[in-house]
Amino acid sequence: MDNVADFKEIIDVIKTNGGDAFKSCYQCGLCDAVCPWNRVRKFSMRKLVREASFGMTEIESEEIWRCTTCGKCPQQCPRDVKQIDSGVALRRIATEYGVFPAHVRPIRTVSASLMGEGNPLNSDRKKRRDWADGLAVKDFTEGMEILYFPGCYLSYDPRLKKVARATAAILNKAGVDFGILGTKENCCGESIRKAGAEELYKRLARENIKTFIDNGVKKILVSSPHCYHTFKNEYPDFRVNFEIIHISQYIYELINTGRLEIKKEYKKKVAYHDPCYLGRHNGIYDEPREALKKIPGLELAELPDSRSDSLCCGGGGGRIWMETPKGERFSDIRMDQAVQAGAQVLATSCPYCITNFEDSRLSLENSEAAEIKDITEIIQEVI
Ligand code: SF4
Ligand code: SF4
Protein backbone atom coordinates (compact mmCIF):
# COMPACT_ATOMS: atom_id res chain seq x y z
CA MET A 1 0.00 0.00 0.00
CA ASP A 2 1.32 3.48 -0.82
CA ASN A 3 1.89 5.88 2.00
CA VAL A 4 -0.15 9.07 2.09
CA ALA A 5 2.85 10.93 3.53
CA ASP A 6 6.25 10.74 1.87
CA PHE A 7 9.21 9.35 3.76
CA LYS A 8 11.04 12.67 4.06
CA GLU A 9 8.03 14.31 5.63
CA ILE A 10 7.66 11.46 8.11
CA ILE A 11 11.30 11.75 9.14
CA ASP A 12 11.04 15.56 9.46
CA VAL A 13 7.90 15.43 11.59
CA ILE A 14 9.41 12.79 13.85
CA LYS A 15 12.55 14.90 14.20
CA THR A 16 10.71 18.08 15.14
CA ASN A 17 8.84 16.08 17.78
CA GLY A 18 11.92 14.82 19.56
CA GLY A 19 12.13 11.68 17.46
CA ASP A 20 15.83 11.99 16.72
CA ALA A 21 16.30 9.40 19.44
CA PHE A 22 14.89 6.85 16.96
CA LYS A 23 18.28 6.73 15.35
CA SER A 24 19.94 5.34 18.48
CA CYS A 25 17.74 2.23 18.52
CA TYR A 26 19.82 -0.90 18.09
CA GLN A 27 16.83 -3.22 17.78
CA CYS A 28 17.42 -5.08 21.04
CA GLY A 29 13.69 -5.82 21.35
CA LEU A 30 13.44 -5.03 25.08
CA CYS A 31 10.49 -2.75 24.34
CA ASP A 32 8.52 -5.64 22.86
CA ALA A 33 9.41 -7.89 25.78
CA VAL A 34 7.79 -5.52 28.31
CA CYS A 35 4.89 -4.18 26.22
CA PRO A 36 1.49 -5.28 27.60
CA TRP A 37 0.20 -5.84 24.05
CA ASN A 38 2.40 -8.89 23.74
CA ARG A 39 0.41 -10.53 26.51
CA VAL A 40 -2.72 -10.45 24.38
CA ARG A 41 -1.61 -10.23 20.74
CA LYS A 42 1.44 -9.43 18.66
CA PHE A 43 2.62 -5.81 18.52
CA SER A 44 6.13 -4.53 17.90
CA MET A 45 7.26 -1.07 18.96
CA ARG A 46 10.72 -2.18 17.84
CA LYS A 47 9.40 -2.61 14.29
CA LEU A 48 7.60 0.75 14.36
CA VAL A 49 10.83 2.42 15.48
CA ARG A 50 12.78 0.73 12.70
CA GLU A 51 10.28 1.62 9.98
CA ALA A 52 9.97 5.21 11.21
CA SER A 53 13.73 5.75 11.26
CA PHE A 54 13.70 4.99 7.51
CA GLY A 55 10.56 7.09 6.94
CA MET A 56 8.75 3.88 5.95
CA THR A 57 5.82 4.05 8.38
CA GLU A 58 2.43 3.16 6.95
CA ILE A 59 0.51 6.11 8.32
CA GLU A 60 -2.82 4.45 7.53
CA SER A 61 -1.99 1.33 9.56
CA GLU A 62 -3.71 0.43 12.83
CA GLU A 63 -0.36 -0.22 14.48
CA ILE A 64 0.52 3.44 15.09
CA TRP A 65 -2.62 3.75 17.23
CA ARG A 66 -1.94 0.76 19.45
CA CYS A 67 0.46 2.21 22.04
CA THR A 68 -1.34 3.23 25.24
CA THR A 69 1.62 5.46 26.21
CA CYS A 70 1.88 3.33 29.35
CA GLY A 71 5.52 4.29 29.84
CA LYS A 72 6.85 0.80 30.31
CA CYS A 73 9.16 0.54 27.30
CA PRO A 74 10.80 3.97 27.66
CA GLN A 75 11.79 3.05 31.22
CA GLN A 76 13.52 -0.12 29.94
CA CYS A 77 15.10 1.16 26.73
CA PRO A 78 18.93 1.07 26.95
CA ARG A 79 19.26 3.77 24.26
CA ASP A 80 16.73 6.27 25.60
CA VAL A 81 14.65 6.08 22.43
CA LYS A 82 11.64 8.21 23.26
CA GLN A 83 9.08 5.78 21.89
CA ILE A 84 6.02 7.68 23.15
CA ASP A 85 7.08 11.06 21.70
CA SER A 86 7.91 9.52 18.36
CA GLY A 87 4.77 7.39 18.27
CA VAL A 88 2.65 10.48 18.98
CA ALA A 89 4.46 12.27 16.14
CA LEU A 90 3.25 9.57 13.73
CA ARG A 91 -0.31 10.06 14.97
CA ARG A 92 0.03 13.79 14.33
CA ILE A 93 0.82 13.09 10.69
CA ALA A 94 -2.18 10.75 10.40
CA THR A 95 -4.40 13.33 12.10
CA GLU A 96 -3.20 16.04 9.74
CA TYR A 97 -4.10 13.86 6.74
CA GLY A 98 -7.38 12.77 8.35
CA VAL A 99 -6.40 9.10 7.99
CA PHE A 100 -8.10 7.04 10.68
CA PRO A 101 -8.49 3.24 10.55
CA ALA A 102 -11.99 2.03 11.46
CA HIS A 103 -11.47 1.47 15.19
CA VAL A 104 -9.78 4.88 15.57
CA ARG A 105 -12.65 6.83 13.98
CA PRO A 106 -14.37 7.67 17.31
CA ILE A 107 -11.50 10.15 17.73
CA ARG A 108 -13.27 12.41 15.21
CA THR A 109 -16.42 12.61 17.34
CA VAL A 110 -14.30 13.07 20.45
CA SER A 111 -12.42 15.97 18.82
CA ALA A 112 -15.65 17.63 17.68
CA SER A 113 -17.07 17.32 21.20
CA LEU A 114 -13.87 18.75 22.72
CA MET A 115 -14.04 21.70 20.33
CA GLY A 116 -17.71 22.41 20.89
CA GLU A 117 -18.34 21.46 24.51
CA GLY A 118 -14.89 21.17 26.12
CA ASN A 119 -15.31 17.46 26.93
CA PRO A 120 -14.78 14.22 24.98
CA LEU A 121 -18.12 12.66 25.98
CA ASN A 122 -20.48 14.56 23.73
CA SER A 123 -22.04 16.11 26.82
CA ASP A 124 -23.44 19.58 27.32
CA ARG A 125 -21.02 22.13 28.77
CA LYS A 126 -23.90 23.61 30.78
CA LYS A 127 -24.19 20.33 32.70
CA ARG A 128 -20.55 20.21 33.77
CA ARG A 129 -21.26 21.10 37.40
CA ASP A 130 -24.41 18.93 37.77
CA TRP A 131 -22.44 16.23 39.61
CA ALA A 132 -22.35 18.59 42.59
CA ASP A 133 -26.14 19.11 42.79
CA GLY A 134 -27.30 19.00 46.38
CA LEU A 135 -23.75 19.10 47.77
CA ALA A 136 -22.00 21.93 49.60
CA VAL A 137 -19.71 22.78 46.69
CA LYS A 138 -18.99 26.45 45.96
CA ASP A 139 -17.78 28.16 42.81
CA PHE A 140 -14.10 28.95 43.08
CA THR A 141 -13.19 32.49 44.10
CA GLU A 142 -9.77 34.04 44.52
CA GLY A 143 -8.23 33.46 47.94
CA MET A 144 -9.77 29.99 48.44
CA GLU A 145 -7.36 27.33 49.65
CA ILE A 146 -7.60 25.11 46.60
CA LEU A 147 -9.33 24.65 43.24
CA TYR A 148 -10.87 21.19 42.79
CA PHE A 149 -10.67 20.17 39.11
CA PRO A 150 -12.66 16.91 38.74
CA GLY A 151 -12.05 16.61 34.97
CA CYS A 152 -14.41 15.29 32.27
CA TYR A 153 -15.18 11.72 33.34
CA LEU A 154 -15.93 12.64 36.96
CA SER A 155 -18.13 15.51 35.80
CA TYR A 156 -20.30 13.52 33.39
CA ASP A 157 -19.92 9.75 33.61
CA PRO A 158 -22.61 8.29 35.92
CA ARG A 159 -20.19 5.80 37.53
CA LEU A 160 -17.47 8.39 38.03
CA LYS A 161 -19.71 11.16 39.33
CA LYS A 162 -19.75 9.07 42.52
CA VAL A 163 -15.99 9.65 42.79
CA ALA A 164 -16.40 13.42 42.43
CA ARG A 165 -19.09 13.35 45.10
CA ALA A 166 -16.93 11.23 47.42
CA THR A 167 -14.09 13.71 46.93
CA ALA A 168 -16.31 16.68 47.80
CA ALA A 169 -17.52 14.81 50.92
CA ILE A 170 -13.91 14.21 52.03
CA LEU A 171 -12.92 17.84 51.44
CA ASN A 172 -15.93 19.11 53.37
CA LYS A 173 -15.30 16.71 56.24
CA ALA A 174 -11.69 17.94 56.46
CA GLY A 175 -12.86 21.57 56.42
CA VAL A 176 -11.01 22.41 53.21
CA ASP A 177 -11.93 25.78 51.71
CA PHE A 178 -12.33 24.68 48.09
CA GLY A 179 -14.27 25.62 44.99
CA ILE A 180 -14.81 24.42 41.43
CA LEU A 181 -14.86 26.19 38.07
CA GLY A 182 -17.96 24.29 36.90
CA THR A 183 -18.97 25.25 33.37
CA LYS A 184 -15.76 27.28 32.97
CA GLU A 185 -13.68 24.09 33.24
CA ASN A 186 -12.37 22.50 30.00
CA CYS A 187 -10.90 19.08 29.34
CA CYS A 188 -7.22 19.15 30.33
CA GLY A 189 -6.35 17.91 26.83
CA GLU A 190 -3.83 15.25 27.84
CA SER A 191 -5.30 12.26 26.02
CA ILE A 192 -6.30 14.01 22.80
CA ARG A 193 -2.71 15.26 22.60
CA LYS A 194 -1.41 11.68 22.81
CA ALA A 195 -3.89 10.82 20.05
CA GLY A 196 -2.10 13.29 17.79
CA ALA A 197 -4.37 16.37 17.94
CA GLU A 198 -1.71 18.86 19.00
CA GLU A 199 -3.54 22.04 17.97
CA LEU A 200 -6.69 21.01 19.80
CA TYR A 201 -4.63 20.23 22.91
CA LYS A 202 -3.03 23.67 22.75
CA ARG A 203 -6.41 25.34 22.43
CA LEU A 204 -7.83 23.49 25.45
CA ALA A 205 -4.69 24.16 27.49
CA ARG A 206 -4.65 27.89 26.66
CA GLU A 207 -8.32 28.26 27.58
CA ASN A 208 -7.78 26.48 30.89
CA ILE A 209 -4.69 28.53 31.69
CA LYS A 210 -6.55 31.77 30.98
CA THR A 211 -9.44 30.64 33.21
CA PHE A 212 -7.03 29.71 36.02
CA ILE A 213 -5.26 33.07 35.82
CA ASP A 214 -8.48 35.12 35.48
CA ASN A 215 -9.90 33.40 38.57
CA GLY A 216 -6.76 33.74 40.71
CA VAL A 217 -6.06 30.01 40.90
CA LYS A 218 -2.75 29.01 42.50
CA LYS A 219 -3.19 25.44 43.76
CA ILE A 220 -5.13 22.75 41.86
CA LEU A 221 -6.41 19.45 43.22
CA VAL A 222 -7.07 16.79 40.55
CA SER A 223 -8.67 13.36 40.53
CA SER A 224 -7.28 12.13 37.23
CA PRO A 225 -3.60 11.22 36.83
CA HIS A 226 -3.97 12.44 33.23
CA CYS A 227 -4.94 15.95 34.39
CA TYR A 228 -2.11 15.73 36.94
CA HIS A 229 0.43 14.80 34.30
CA THR A 230 -0.45 17.49 31.81
CA PHE A 231 -0.92 20.31 34.34
CA LYS A 232 2.35 19.47 36.06
CA ASN A 233 4.60 18.44 33.17
CA GLU A 234 3.09 19.84 29.96
CA TYR A 235 1.34 23.14 30.83
CA PRO A 236 4.69 24.64 31.97
CA ASP A 237 5.53 24.75 28.20
CA PHE A 238 3.16 27.75 28.22
CA ARG A 239 5.36 29.37 30.90
CA VAL A 240 2.95 28.86 33.78
CA ASN A 241 3.46 26.98 37.00
CA PHE A 242 0.48 26.14 39.16
CA GLU A 243 0.85 23.97 42.24
CA ILE A 244 -0.70 20.59 41.36
CA ILE A 245 -1.69 17.89 43.83
CA HIS A 246 -3.36 14.56 43.16
CA ILE A 247 -6.21 13.48 45.44
CA SER A 248 -4.22 10.46 46.68
CA GLN A 249 -1.45 12.78 47.87
CA TYR A 250 -3.94 15.24 49.35
CA ILE A 251 -5.84 12.60 51.32
CA TYR A 252 -2.56 11.35 52.77
CA GLU A 253 -1.63 14.92 53.73
CA LEU A 254 -5.05 15.60 55.26
CA ILE A 255 -4.81 12.46 57.41
CA ASN A 256 -1.22 13.18 58.48
CA THR A 257 -1.93 16.77 59.46
CA GLY A 258 -4.91 15.67 61.55
CA ARG A 259 -7.49 17.43 59.38
CA LEU A 260 -9.12 14.17 58.31
CA GLU A 261 -9.94 11.56 60.90
CA ILE A 262 -10.51 7.88 60.09
CA LYS A 263 -13.34 6.79 62.40
CA LYS A 264 -14.45 3.42 61.10
CA GLU A 265 -13.09 0.03 60.14
CA TYR A 266 -13.05 -1.39 56.60
CA LYS A 267 -12.74 -5.13 56.96
CA LYS A 268 -11.83 -6.07 53.41
CA LYS A 269 -8.84 -7.28 51.45
CA VAL A 270 -7.98 -4.50 49.00
CA ALA A 271 -5.56 -4.71 46.07
CA TYR A 272 -4.23 -1.38 44.82
CA HIS A 273 -3.60 -0.89 41.10
CA ASP A 274 -1.02 1.77 40.10
CA PRO A 275 -2.35 3.90 37.20
CA CYS A 276 0.42 4.45 34.59
CA TYR A 277 0.15 8.24 34.69
CA LEU A 278 0.25 8.38 38.49
CA GLY A 279 2.96 5.76 39.03
CA ARG A 280 5.38 5.28 36.15
CA HIS A 281 4.96 8.75 34.67
CA ASN A 282 4.95 10.67 37.96
CA GLY A 283 6.43 8.43 40.66
CA ILE A 284 3.40 8.49 42.99
CA TYR A 285 3.29 4.98 44.44
CA ASP A 286 3.38 5.39 48.22
CA GLU A 287 0.74 7.97 49.13
CA PRO A 288 -2.30 5.99 47.93
CA ARG A 289 -1.01 2.86 49.67
CA GLU A 290 -0.13 4.75 52.87
CA ALA A 291 -3.57 6.38 52.96
CA LEU A 292 -5.24 2.96 52.64
CA LYS A 293 -2.96 1.50 55.32
CA LYS A 294 -4.27 4.09 57.81
CA ILE A 295 -7.69 2.40 57.72
CA PRO A 296 -8.18 -0.13 60.54
CA GLY A 297 -9.26 -3.58 59.36
CA LEU A 298 -8.19 -3.00 55.76
CA GLU A 299 -5.78 -5.64 54.46
CA LEU A 300 -3.67 -4.30 51.60
CA ALA A 301 -2.70 -6.87 48.96
CA GLU A 302 -0.01 -6.36 46.32
CA LEU A 303 -0.74 -7.57 42.80
CA PRO A 304 1.86 -9.02 40.45
CA ASP A 305 3.04 -6.26 38.07
CA SER A 306 2.83 -3.52 40.67
CA ARG A 307 4.47 -0.10 41.22
CA SER A 308 6.87 0.69 38.32
CA ASP A 309 5.99 -2.64 36.68
CA SER A 310 2.25 -1.94 36.85
CA LEU A 311 0.07 -3.44 34.15
CA CYS A 312 -1.60 -0.75 32.06
CA CYS A 313 -5.44 -0.82 32.13
CA GLY A 314 -5.45 -0.08 28.38
CA GLY A 315 -6.98 3.41 28.58
CA GLY A 316 -4.09 5.83 27.96
CA GLY A 317 -2.96 7.44 24.71
CA GLY A 318 -6.57 7.97 23.56
CA ARG A 319 -7.26 4.20 23.68
CA ILE A 320 -10.09 4.89 26.13
CA TRP A 321 -12.05 6.11 23.09
CA MET A 322 -11.27 3.13 20.86
CA GLU A 323 -12.89 -0.27 20.94
CA THR A 324 -10.54 -3.04 22.09
CA PRO A 325 -11.90 -6.50 21.26
CA LYS A 326 -12.59 -8.98 24.01
CA GLY A 327 -9.54 -11.18 24.51
CA GLU A 328 -7.23 -8.19 23.95
CA ARG A 329 -8.13 -6.12 27.01
CA PHE A 330 -5.35 -5.64 29.58
CA SER A 331 -7.98 -4.81 32.19
CA ASP A 332 -9.31 -8.39 31.94
CA ILE A 333 -5.87 -9.67 32.96
CA ARG A 334 -5.75 -7.19 35.85
CA MET A 335 -9.18 -8.27 37.10
CA ASP A 336 -8.03 -11.88 37.04
CA GLN A 337 -4.91 -10.97 39.00
CA ALA A 338 -7.05 -9.25 41.64
CA VAL A 339 -9.29 -12.32 41.90
CA GLN A 340 -6.24 -14.61 42.15
CA ALA A 341 -4.84 -12.42 44.95
CA GLY A 342 -8.07 -12.99 46.87
CA ALA A 343 -8.93 -9.29 46.81
CA GLN A 344 -12.50 -8.31 47.62
CA VAL A 345 -11.84 -4.83 46.25
CA LEU A 346 -9.66 -3.63 43.39
CA ALA A 347 -8.84 -0.03 44.27
CA THR A 348 -7.24 2.60 42.10
CA SER A 349 -7.18 6.34 41.55
CA CYS A 350 -7.83 7.02 37.85
CA PRO A 351 -11.09 7.42 35.89
CA TYR A 352 -9.82 5.43 32.87
CA CYS A 353 -8.72 2.49 35.05
CA ILE A 354 -12.11 2.46 36.79
CA THR A 355 -13.97 2.58 33.46
CA ASN A 356 -11.97 -0.32 32.03
CA PHE A 357 -12.09 -2.43 35.20
CA GLU A 358 -15.85 -1.97 35.53
CA ASP A 359 -16.20 -3.16 31.90
CA SER A 360 -14.01 -6.18 32.59
CA ARG A 361 -15.91 -6.95 35.75
CA LEU A 362 -19.14 -7.12 33.78
CA SER A 363 -17.70 -9.45 31.19
CA LEU A 364 -15.64 -11.82 33.34
CA GLU A 365 -17.27 -14.89 34.83
CA ASN A 366 -15.59 -14.89 38.23
CA SER A 367 -15.43 -11.12 38.61
CA GLU A 368 -18.13 -11.02 41.29
CA ALA A 369 -15.29 -11.51 43.75
CA ALA A 370 -13.82 -8.04 43.33
CA GLU A 371 -15.59 -4.69 43.52
CA ILE A 372 -13.97 -1.70 41.81
CA LYS A 373 -13.40 1.37 43.95
CA ASP A 374 -11.63 4.65 43.70
CA ILE A 375 -9.66 5.24 46.90
CA THR A 376 -11.90 8.26 47.67
CA GLU A 377 -14.92 5.93 47.77
CA ILE A 378 -13.22 3.79 50.41
CA ILE A 379 -12.10 6.81 52.46
CA GLN A 380 -15.61 8.28 52.27
CA GLU A 381 -16.97 5.15 53.97
CA VAL A 382 -14.62 5.39 56.97
CA ILE A 383 -14.64 9.08 57.93
S1 SF4 B 1 14.23 -1.06 23.74
FE1 SF4 B 1 15.02 0.82 22.75
S2 SF4 B 1 16.91 0.17 21.70
FE2 SF4 B 1 15.77 -1.71 22.17
S3 SF4 B 1 14.51 -2.12 20.32
FE3 SF4 B 1 13.22 -0.93 21.71
S4 SF4 B 1 13.53 1.22 21.08
FE4 SF4 B 1 15.23 0.02 20.19
S1 SF4 C 1 4.58 2.76 25.98
FE1 SF4 C 1 3.60 0.87 26.75
S2 SF4 C 1 1.97 0.35 25.28
FE2 SF4 C 1 3.38 1.83 24.27
S3 SF4 C 1 4.79 0.50 23.16
FE3 SF4 C 1 5.75 1.00 25.13
S4 SF4 C 1 5.21 -0.69 26.50
FE4 SF4 C 1 3.82 -0.81 24.68
Side-chain angles (χ1 to χ4, degrees), residues 266-308:
Y266 193 85
K267 287 190 176 165
K268 286 184 182 167
K269 190 169 180 181
V270 177
Y272 175 72
H273 161 82
D274 295 279
C276 302
Y277 274 78
L278 198 59
R280 250 189 314 273
H281 284 288
N282 286 292
I284 300 170
Y285 299 110
D286 293 328
E287 293 96 324
R289 286 178 171 80
E290 292 304 319
L292 290 171
K293 279 189 205 161
K294 300 267 183 198
I295 304 172
L298 186 149
E299 186 190 344
L300 191 62
E302 281 297 339
L303 295 172
D305 307 305
S306 77
R307 300 179 72 95
S308 62

Side-chain angles (χ1 to χ4, degrees), residues 151-170:
C152 302
Y153 279 71
L154 272 68
S155 297
Y156 293 109
D157 181 88
R159 165 69 186 89
L160 288 157
K161 276 184 192 177
K162 290 184 196 164
V163 178
R165 294 173 73 85
T167 305
I170 294 167

Side-chain angles (χ1 to χ4, degrees), residues 57-336:
T57 306
E58 283 185 15
I59 290 302
E60 61 276 47
S61 100
E62 297 215 348
E63 295 307 277
I64 66 165
W65 298 97
R66 209 163 278 291
C67 173
T68 64
T69 69
C70 79
K72 214 161 175 188
C73 66
Q75 92 181 353
Q76 298 288 334
C77 178
R79 292 289 177 91
D80 197 23
V81 172
K82 297 185 176 5
Q83 295 98 327
I84 294 177
D85 294 351
S86 307
V88 167
L90 297 174
R91 293 175 181 184
R92 281 184 201 159
I93 304 175
T95 303
E96 210 175 286
Y97 279 90
V99 182
F100 298 105
H103 81 280
V104 181
R105 279 184 203 138
I107 292 284
R108 288 182 184 155
T109 320
V110 163
S111 295
S113 173
L114 284 167
M115 263 183 254
E117 300 297 329
N119 70 78
L121 299 160
N122 234 348
S123 300
D124 193 341
R125 177 183 284 281
K126 288 193 219 87
K127 295 186 174 161
R128 194 161 182 124
R129 85 171 322 286
D130 288 7
W131 66 268
D133 282 354
L135 300 180
V137 175
K138 297 179 196 152
D139 289 328
F140 183 85
T141 50
E142 189 158 4
M144 278 182 165
E145 193 179 340
I146 203 160
L147 166 73
Y148 174 43
F149 188 101
C152 302
Y153 279 71
L154 272 68
S155 297
Y156 293 109
D157 181 88
R159 165 69 186 89
L160 288 157
K161 276 184 192 177
K162 290 184 196 164
V163 178
R165 294 173 73 85
T167 305
I170 294 167
L171 297 177
N172 280 327
K173 197 83 170 191
V176 176
D177 179 26
F178 76 101
I180 60 171
L181 289 169
T183 57
K184 289 184 276 181
E185 182 182 300
N186 249 341
C187 176
C188 70
E190 187 280 331
S191 295
I192 200 66
R193 183 181 207 196
K194 305 301 183 297
E198 184 68 7
E199 290 312 310
L200 179 50
Y201 157 73
K202 282 185 182 154
R203 180 173 147 178
L204 293 166
R206 285 197 191 105
E207 282 175 18
N208 272 331
I209 289 167
K210 183 173 184 317
T211 307
F212 295 158
I213 292 171
D214 288 351
N215 287 275
V217 172
K218 303 236 161 12
K219 185 170 178 179
I220 307 172
L221 170 68
V222 293
S223 293
S224 170
H226 296 267
C227 302
Y228 182 88
H229 181 76
T230 198
F231 289 168
K232 195 169 176 80
N233 305 315
E234 299 180 327
Y235 278 27
D237 292 347
F238 298 92
R239 300 187 203 292
V240 288
N241 258 309
F242 303 101
E243 189 185 344
I244 314 298
I245 188 160
H246 184 259
I247 186 66
S248 61
Q249 299 174 299
Y250 201 47
I251 287 174
Y252 184 54
E253 182 185 312
L254 291 174
I255 296 172
N256 278 345
T257 51
R259 293 177 74 182
L260 190 66
E261 200 188 335
I262 308 282
K263 294 185 180 144
K264 297 179 201 154
E265 290 192 327
Y266 193 85
K267 287 190 176 165
K268 286 184 182 167
K269 190 169 180 181
V270 177
Y272 175 72
H273 161 82
D274 295 279
C276 302
Y277 274 78
L278 198 59
R280 250 189 314 273
H281 284 288
N282 286 292
I284 300 170
Y285 299 110
D286 293 328
E287 293 96 324
R289 286 178 171 80
E290 292 304 319
L292 290 171
K293 279 189 205 161
K294 300 267 183 198
I295 304 172
L298 186 149
E299 186 190 344
L300 191 62
E302 281 297 339
L303 295 172
D305 307 305
S306 77
R307 300 179 72 95
S308 62
D309 285 331
S310 187
L311 177 64
C312 173
C313 79
R319 294 284 318 180
I320 194 73
W321 302 312
M322 302 173 207
E323 190 54 41
T324 303
K326 201 164 156 36
E328 294 186 6
R329 297 177 189 162
F330 313 156
S331 49
D332 289 357
I333 302 176
R334 203 48 155 170
M335 278 302 298
D336 266 344

Side-chain angles (χ1 to χ4, degrees), residues 24-32 45-46 49 73 76-81 83:
S24 3
C25 170
Y26 71 142
Q27 294 286 296
C28 70
L30 259 180
C31 45
D32 293 353
M45 177 51 92
R46 181 191 59 74
V49 168
C73 66
Q76 298 288 334
C77 178
R79 292 289 177 91
D80 197 23
V81 172
Q83 295 98 327

Side-chain angles (χ1 to χ4, degrees), residues 1-13:
M1 197 186 293
D2 286 342
N3 258 334
V4 286
D6 75 38
F7 76 95
K8 178 149 186 336
E9 181 182 6
I10 291 173
I11 292 178
D12 286 349
V13 175

